[in-house]
């Protein structure tokens, strides 16, 4: 496999801060997310590559090892190639081999027996390099496996059933409705050697909705005549449904209105609110009758 420079993949410098790395990753993950580029294999490959890079550079220990050995094509003494982590040191190590190992060990199952976002599932590199035990030719994990599970904002809102692969074993789990970014899930005893699988949930950004605390914010287009005279517009909710919003006469762009109880699920069973930002629009193409009406309105302003 060809060598990959994970800093180049994310478009950041080697001295980039954690915040810069996270910002670059979120931007690229949003740009190449499979849900927004369905059927585009190049975007899917780029999304995986971005996930691989973030998996290493976002973790201080993994980044330290990569900075010391990965970008030079070397690995620490005692970790050989070919048949896995055997004895003996060697040169010419390709850090992309870590990516293949990560994906084979810890992928998220998708439809048709394939993987969904496999590079988003991160195995703790310290466990890989220092958590191997056993004697003889066989090796096994004796420590917990840590990873990240990426879900969309809609999946985190409504909850979702996921399938992941850990060391060749398919595991099912439920992401509860209302799960927050950074929440931790534990699959006890399901890791290699009887260890636990510890998952950190990462909620991807959504171009349609912003989450602030328990409240969501979205933008809805309102035709100029409706804004001037008042009327109803349809608002899409994150649950996949829609609601009617009554627009008061004389409304202007930027005005915020509220749909109560349409926000983020709370632990007590209630929900926050959905705030709707109005965006007043004018048709790009007007009929002759519409043009005449707008001319009359314009002339009334003088």
């Amino acid at each position: 496999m060809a060598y990959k420079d994970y800093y180049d993949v994310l478009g950041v410098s080697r001295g980039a801060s954690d915040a810069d790395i996270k910002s670059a990753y979120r931007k690229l993950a949003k740009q190449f997310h499979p849900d927004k580029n369905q059927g585009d294999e190049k975007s899917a490959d780029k999304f995986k590559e971005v996930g691989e890079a973030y998996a290493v550079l976002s973790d201080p220990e993994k980044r330290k090892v990569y900075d010391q050995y990965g970008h030079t094509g070397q690995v620490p003494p005692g970790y050989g190639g070919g048949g896995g982590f055997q004895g003996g040191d060697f040169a010419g190590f390709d850090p992309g081999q870590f990516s293949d190992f990560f994906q084979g060990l810890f992928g998220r199952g998708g439809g048709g027996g394939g993987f969904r976002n496999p590079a988003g599932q991160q195995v703790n590199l310290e466990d890989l390099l220092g958590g191997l035990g056993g004697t003889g030719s066989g090796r096994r994990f004796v420590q917990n496996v840590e990873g990240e599970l990426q879900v969309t904002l809609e999946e985190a809102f409504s909850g979702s059933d996921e399938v992941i692969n850990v060391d060749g074993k398919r595991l099912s789990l439920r992401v509860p409705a209302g799960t927050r970014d950074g929440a931790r899930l534990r699959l006890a005893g399901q890791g290699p050697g009887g260890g636990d699988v510890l998952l950190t949930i990462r909620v991807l950004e959504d171009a349609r909705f912003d989450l602030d605390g328990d409240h969501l914010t979205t933008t809805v287009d309102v035709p100029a005549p409706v804004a001037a005279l008042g009327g109803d517009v349809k608002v899409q909710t994150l649950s996949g449904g829609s609601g009617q919003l009554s627009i008061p006469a004389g409304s202007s762009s930027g005005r915020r209105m509220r749909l109560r109880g349409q926000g983020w699920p709370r632990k007590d069973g209630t929900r926050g609110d959905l705030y709707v930002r109005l965006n007043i629009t004018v048709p790009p193409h007007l009929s002759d009758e519409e043009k005449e009406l707008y001319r009359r309105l314009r002339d009334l302003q003088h």
Side-chain angles (χ1 to χ4, degrees):
M1 177 179 287
Y3 168 73
K4 296 178 183 178
D5 188 320
Y6 288 144
Y7 291 97
D8 285 346
V9 169
L10 294 183
V12 298
S13 67
R14 293 191 177 278
S17 66
D18 292 343
D20 290 337
I21 290 172
K22 183 176 182 179
S23 177
Y25 163 71
R26 286 187 176 275
K27 180 179 179 180
L28 292 172
K30 182 177 179 181
Q31 178 181 351
F32 296 107
H33 195 279
D35 289 347
K36 298 182 180 180
N37 301 275
Q38 295 185 9
D40 187 342
E41 293 184 0
K42 290 185 179 180
S43 292
D45 290 341
K46 184 65 177 178
F47 182 79
K48 295 175 185 177
E49 187 176 61
V50 167
E52 293 172 10
Y54 184 71
V56 174
L57 300 185
S58 64
D59 185 289
E61 290 299 321
K62 296 178 189 178
R63 185 178 180 183
K64 180 179 179 180
V65 173
Y66 175 75
D67 287 343
Q68 187 172 359
Y69 302 104
H71 70 280
T72 64
Q74 307 290 325
V75 291
Y79 297 98
F85 290 90
Q86 309 290 336
D89 52 345
F90 71 106
F93 172 77
D94 174 11
Q97 292 172 358
F98 275 127
S99 304
D100 290 344
F101 189 70
F102 291 160
Q103 294 180 23
L105 173 70
F106 198 55
R108 175 180 178 182
F115 293 126
R116 179 182 177 191
N117 302 348
Q121 316 316 318
Q122 302 175 22
V123 175
N124 187 289
L125 190 57
E126 183 178 4
D127 290 344
L128 290 176
L129 297 182
L132 297 171
T135 60
S137 60
R139 300 269 186 168
R140 67 183 181 88
F141 285 94
V142 295
Q143 296 184 359
N144 296 337
V145 174
E146 297 184 9
E148 290 189 353
L149 178 65
Q150 293 179 347
V151 297
T152 65
L153 187 66
E154 188 172 354
E155 289 171 334
F157 175 86
S158 301
S160 65
D161 294 310
E162 307 293 342
V163 177
I164 62 173
N165 293 328
V166 178
D167 201 22
K169 181 170 61 175
R170 291 170 63 85
L171 303 176
S172 299
L173 62 106
R174 175 70 180 175
V175 177
T179 296
R180 304 278 186 165
D181 184 76
R184 302 264 288 180
L185 297 180
R186 179 188 297 269
L187 303 180
Q190 298 300 308
D196 295 343
V197 177
L198 307 172
L199 294 177
T200 300
I201 303 299
R202 293 302 177 198
V203 181
L204 296 171
E205 294 180 356
D206 193 297
R208 303 164 301 163
F209 296 90
D210 293 321
L211 176 61
D212 183 10
D214 294 332
H215 306 304
L216 291 163
T217 299
T218 189
T219 299
V220 64
D221 290 339
V222 179
V226 175
L229 302 176
D232 293 336
V233 296
K234 183 180 294 187
V235 179
Q236 295 295 324
T237 62
L238 189 53
S239 62
S242 61
Q244 291 290 330
L245 183 65
S246 295
I247 307 299
S251 295
S252 57
S253 279
R255 180 172 183 171
R256 279 165 51 97
M257 302 186 66
R258 179 167 59 179
L259 287 175
R260 295 182 181 275
Q262 294 297 318
W264 201 256
R266 299 186 179 112
K267 291 183 178 180
D268 63 2
T270 63
R271 287 166 57 177
D273 299 329
L274 172 61
Y275 288 90
V276 181
R277 185 185 301 111
L278 306 186
N279 179 44
I280 311 305
T281 62
V282 176
H285 305 290
L286 300 173
S287 66
D288 291 340
E289 182 179 4
E290 288 172 328
K291 289 180 181 178
E292 178 58 29
L293 290 173
Y294 273 104
R295 288 192 191 97
R296 292 171 60 184
L297 285 173
R298 180 191 62 191
D299 294 341
L300 287 175
Q301 306 303 312
H302 298 288

